[in-house]
Amino acid sequence: METQPAKKLDSPYYDIVIVGAGPVGLMLSTCLARWGYRIKHIDNRSEPTPTGRADGIQPRSLDLLRNMGLKSAIMAHKPARVYEVAFWDPPKNGNGIVRTGTWASCPSFIDARYPFTTLLHQGLIERVFISDLEKNNTKIQRPWTITGFKTDEKENPEYPVEVNLKHVDGTAEETVRAKYLFGGEGARSFVREQLKIGITHKDPIAHVWGVMDGVVKTDFPDIKMKCTIHSEHGSIMVIPREDNMVRLYIQIASSTDPDFNPRKTATTEEVQESAKRILQPYSIEWERVEWYSVYPIGQGISDKYTLDHRVFLGGDACHTHSPKAGQGMNTAFLDALNLAWKIHAVEGGLADRALLTTYEPERKSVAESLLDFDNRYAKLFSTKPSADTVEAASGQSKDQADDNDFIRTFKESCEFTSGYGVAYGPNSLNWSPEHSAKSPLIHPKGTKLRTGRIMINANVTRVVDANVVHLEQEIPLNGSFRIYVFAGKPSVTGQALKDFAKNLSDKRSFYGAYQRSDLSAVSHHDHLNPHSLFFTIATIFSAKRSSVEISRDLPELLARYRDLVYADDKWDRQVPNATAAAHAKMGLDEEKGGVVVVRPDGYVGVVASLVEGSGTVDALNEYFSSFTTKKLGEARSQL
């Protein structure tokens, strides 16, 4: 699968050079390729990952992949699905192991569309991304590596990064210029080393792990479930995989051992014999071993993710941790997504370059939380829970009064491992009382939406075709801010909607100031970005679908998004007494509604009341003015 660089007649100028074609590099490349960017993407391997490596896709990541239209291609490989985790421990009396309990990997108090972990070989996941890249005229150049780079904005303000590349066998070299360089080449990142960015190790305890993928013959009853098994002979984690495979994690050594050696290893046969002892009285035999590796794991985090907001790091180049919780690939996906849409907003002309300064604090904060969680998670696995404790933890009630440390850790862990616990702190994108936008209409009383957190799921009925749909999935990952107009009852909000549309049309509004230059050529069927490439609008009425008439109930600007108009008329178990469940889940007035701005990556930016007059658009102008390239609303008229 070796590929050569572009022909000499092609320009050596790129929007971005991406080093590394693992999960973080592929996610970044896929987003930017879809949005029309010119990409040089290299990897030092001749083929995608053949075996082993990361395999866990968490519920939030599956949401993201569905939003990108990639979920079906991944699920076509028939991956294993983990709905529950089983715990096995020595019995109170006797030898061997017994099941002490199970619990949901994504309990019902987390309102997830896919309450399970998807287990699939990383190479198959990579190929799904690679196929999508090729549809967008982007190929991975293999096996090539980076040998050097420098940034000089004075020499070339538009393409300030010069990157030196070569074929791994030294037979060819290439020098290109780019606006950005991204290092996603793993824990031993050349880009990070060249920048002289250090790694801080959060936990002095290091571990050596053995991991084995294979097909087994066993009478162990939970081999198709994720299991943590403690016995007098050691501990092991069982992870089901596709094609009847199973993955086993066995800790071989720890820096707490008196004779610890970080280079300690073990043969395949030694690990298999250890597994046999741990699983007694059950038997296990290997029909074949697909992959086996021994590697040291330490908790580390990069001191910086960028020095100049031209050269960035992401994925394992920034954070390393144990493999047990299945977070590596998922965290990498969100690193890439966070950076991708911000580069798009800047290069597209919507946002000031200062927006790029939010990448490091947002993603590093998540990595810090991940490492803290990973430390607690490791201790949770190493502590034998009592049967009573596990049974209580399996209760799955968020309001349960029992809050001992184990259960509390379990609940916090479930939200984090699912991906729904990711939270970005206050900044220009995530409104807080300290934000420069001070309108009293912002963050109306009662709203349940939290800025910097993923938007809440909701089922609604699409008006044009009566399909019941998942509201949060209706706007695909298109690089646009998502403006959800919760329109309440048409009889109550009619004038407010007219005023909202009128003020959006104003050339000084956040919406009017960034209209498309090719408006006259936009297809009638473009229902996502008919007016602006940076904003997509959806409207949700608190009414039965049969009572909504788009041409009557919506002003022309909002009616142009007719395929994104919905009736909030579906019952939801989370709010069983609500007449408009989507409004209620968001904490918005079921008659008066409200407006929710969601960032292109799906996280809530700001919530505002929907009122008559210019107030709602004025409030949103204040919010967007904190990072856009143009002055908006009244501020613009004062120039």
Side-chain angles (χ1 to χ4, degrees):
M1 197 172 170
E2 180 173 317
T3 53
Q4 294 298 319
K7 295 178 180 178
K8 292 292 184 183
L9 54 84
D10 284 351
S11 168
Y13 291 88
Y14 295 86
D15 292 307
I16 189 168
V17 174
I18 298 174
V19 183
V24 69
L26 289 172
M27 175 62 80
L28 180 61
S29 198
T30 298
C31 290
L32 294 178
R34 288 181 171 193
W35 301 335
Y37 290 88
R38 182 172 165 79
I39 301 163
K40 168 74 79 173
H41 194 164
I42 69 165
D43 191 89
N44 62 9
R45 302 170 297 167
S46 59
E47 299 280 347
T49 302
T51 54
R53 297 208 183 188
D55 61 0
I57 303 174
Q58 301 299 345
R60 160 61 187 141
S61 296
L62 207 56
D63 284 343
L64 170 59
L65 293 169
R66 177 185 167 193
N67 201 232
M68 299 176 72
L70 300 178
K71 173 177 169 281
S72 58
I74 286 173
M75 301 309 282
H77 291 289
K78 301 188 185 314
R81 303 183 186 190
V82 169
Y83 284 89
E84 290 190 355
V85 181
F87 286 81
W88 290 73
D89 294 281
K92 292 180 180 179
N93 301 302
N95 300 318
I97 53 173
V98 295
R99 187 192 300 114
T100 52
T102 64
W103 59 48
S105 58
C106 187
S108 59
F109 65 74
I110 300 172
D111 191 14
R113 294 292 185 193
Y114 309 107
F116 54 84
T117 301
T118 303
L119 284 309
L120 184 68
H121 161 40
Q122 180 177 318
L124 296 175
I125 298 169
E126 288 178 7
R127 284 175 168 82
V128 169
F129 281 93
I130 290 167
S131 176
D132 193 80
L133 281 171
E134 290 175 350
K135 293 176 186 176
N136 290 286
N137 303 311
T138 300
K139 287 192 174 183
I140 314 297
Q141 188 171 311
R142 303 174 185 270
W144 280 66
T145 189
I146 182 171
T147 59
F149 62 91
K150 65 177 183 178
T151 304
D152 191 337
E153 300 222 14
K154 291 182 179 178
E155 179 183 343
N156 191 326
E158 189 174 2
Y159 295 91
V161 188
E162 182 180 271
V163 187
N164 303 313
L165 309 170
K166 77 169 184 179
H167 192 283
V168 294
D169 67 7
T171 57
E173 295 183 349
E174 187 180 6
T175 298
V176 300
R177 297 199 74 93
K179 296 177 181 177
Y180 302 96
L181 169 64
F182 181 78
E185 71 274 51
R188 298 172 182 170
S189 167
F190 172 85
V191 175
R192 190 191 67 235
E193 290 176 359
Q194 290 298 111
L195 292 173
K196 294 181 171 54
I197 295 175
I199 291 284
T200 298
H201 292 281
K202 295 294 181 180
D203 188 341
I205 298 177
H207 304 279
V208 178
W209 283 85
V211 56
M212 182 183 296
D213 291 341
V215 177
V216 302
K217 181 179 179 181
T218 180
D219 58 355
F220 178 64
D222 288 349
I223 198 66
K224 293 290 187 181
M225 293 178 64
K226 180 177 179 179
C227 304
T228 59
I229 303 168
H230 303 278
S231 86
E232 60 183 10
H233 300 291
S235 298
I236 195 169
M237 178 180 282
V238 177
I239 307 286
R241 291 281 303 275
E242 75 282 358
D243 296 331
N244 294 316
M245 284 197 298
V246 64
R247 170 169 287 190
L248 300 181
Y249 283 112
I250 298 180
Q251 186 172 306
I252 293 172
S254 170
S255 57
T256 56
D257 298 339
D259 59 346
F260 175 66
N261 179 357
R263 293 181 176 82
K264 184 174 181 179
T265 188
T267 66
T268 302
E269 292 74 20
E270 287 171 338
V271 168
Q272 289 177 346
E273 287 303 314
S274 178
K276 289 178 180 180
R277 289 192 298 272
I278 292 170
L279 284 172
Q280 291 174 359
Y282 302 101
S283 64
I284 183 169
E285 299 291 340
W286 275 260
E287 295 184 359
R288 66 179 173 88
V289 174
E290 178 83 7
W291 178 70
Y292 172 67
S293 181
V294 174
Y295 51 94
I297 291 291
Q299 290 188 339
I301 187 167
S302 180
D303 295 335
K304 298 286 293 181
Y305 283 27
T306 181
L307 297 180
D308 58 3
H309 304 101
R310 288 290 185 178
V311 181
F312 292 90
L313 302 171
D316 287 354
C318 293
H319 37 76
T320 58
H321 46 88
S322 83
K324 295 188 297 298
Q327 293 301 302
M329 178 164 53
N330 300 274
T331 306
F333 282 160
L334 294 185
D335 282 351
L337 176 60
N338 190 287
L339 182 60
W341 79 261
K342 291 172 181 176
I343 287 177
H344 180 52
V346 169
E347 293 302 317
L350 172 70
D352 291 324
R353 290 196 59 78
L355 183 72
L356 296 173
T357 65
T358 64
Y359 168 67
E360 179 181 306
E362 285 197 339
R363 294 308 302 162
K364 190 174 183 183
S365 172
V366 171
E368 296 272 9
S369 297
L370 169 58
L371 266 61
D372 175 64
F373 154 76
D374 188 50
N375 187 34
R376 290 185 292 119
Y377 204 56
K379 291 176 181 176
L380 185 152
F381 275 136
S382 64
T383 303
K384 177 188 172 184
S386 68
D388 290 343
T389 301
V390 174
E391 184 179 352
S394 300
Q396 301 184 19
S397 170
K398 193 172 186 179
D399 300 322
Q400 205 166 337
D402 197 344
D403 60 352
N404 67 55
D405 289 344
F406 186 79
I407 294 174
R408 192 182 312 116
T409 301
F410 156 66
K411 291 181 176 179
E412 291 171 356
S413 299
C414 286
E415 188 174 29
F416 195 94
T417 54
S418 70
Y420 292 103
V422 170
Y424 295 139
N427 58 22
S428 60
L429 295 164
N430 311 317
W431 186 88
S432 72
E434 290 70 43
H435 196 282
S436 59
K438 300 296 185 184
S439 169
L441 297 180
I442 291 178
H443 206 70
K445 184 178 179 181
T447 182
K448 297 175 183 175
L449 292 165
R450 295 175 287 178
T451 57
R453 299 291 291 257
I454 201 73
M455 181 173 155
I456 295 170
N457 295 337
N459 294 340
V460 291
T461 304
R462 194 162 50 213
V463 170
V464 293
D465 59 7
N467 276 227
V468 177
V469 296
H470 297 165
L471 178 62
E472 73 284 355
Q473 287 287 347
E474 281 292 275
I475 300 174
L477 181 62
N478 61 352
S480 301
F481 278 83
R482 307 166 187 192
I483 313 297
Y484 293 95
V485 182
F486 285 84
K489 289 189 175 180
S491 60
V492 175
T493 61
Q495 187 59 49
L497 290 172
K498 290 177 183 177
D499 291 344
F500 182 68
K502 175 185 175 182
N503 285 284
L504 281 183
S505 301
D506 190 313
K507 295 297 183 184
R508 296 173 297 175
S509 79
F510 70 91
Y511 188 82
Y514 292 97
Q515 288 206 347
R516 298 176 61 150
S517 59
D518 60 346
L519 276 177
S520 60
V522 176
S523 167
H524 168 76
H525 299 288
D526 187 341
H527 67 281
L528 295 173
N529 300 103
H531 301 138
S532 172
L533 295 175
F534 298 113
F535 304 101
T536 300
I537 301 176
T539 304
I540 307 95
F541 282 108
S542 174
K544 295 288 185 183
R545 175 193 166 273
S546 58
S547 70
V548 176
E549 188 65 53
I550 293 175
S551 60
R552 179 195 67 207
D553 297 329
L554 280 177
E556 183 179 354
L557 184 148
L558 298 179
R560 179 63 178 82
Y561 297 86
R562 60 184 297 109
D563 289 355
L564 297 174
V565 179
Y566 309 92
D568 186 1
D569 58 0
K570 293 301 163 188
W571 180 84
D572 193 300
R573 62 183 176 82
Q574 300 281 348
V575 284
N577 299 319
T579 55
H583 283 66
K585 289 181 78 173
M586 310 297 161
L588 298 174
D589 191 291
E590 295 182 26
E591 293 193 355
K592 299 177 181 178
V595 178
V596 180
V597 174
V598 174
R599 304 167 12 154
D601 54 357
Y603 292 82
V604 177
V606 70
V607 183
S609 299
L610 177 63
V611 298
E612 295 179 8
S614 66
T616 302
V617 172
D618 289 343
L620 299 184
N621 285 341
E622 287 183 41
Y623 165 74
F624 283 107
S625 287
S626 67
F627 56 85
T628 52
T629 57
K630 300 177 182 179
K631 296 294 184 181
L632 305 174
E634 293 181 0
R636 188 174 182 186
S637 66
Q638 295 169 1
L639 292 178

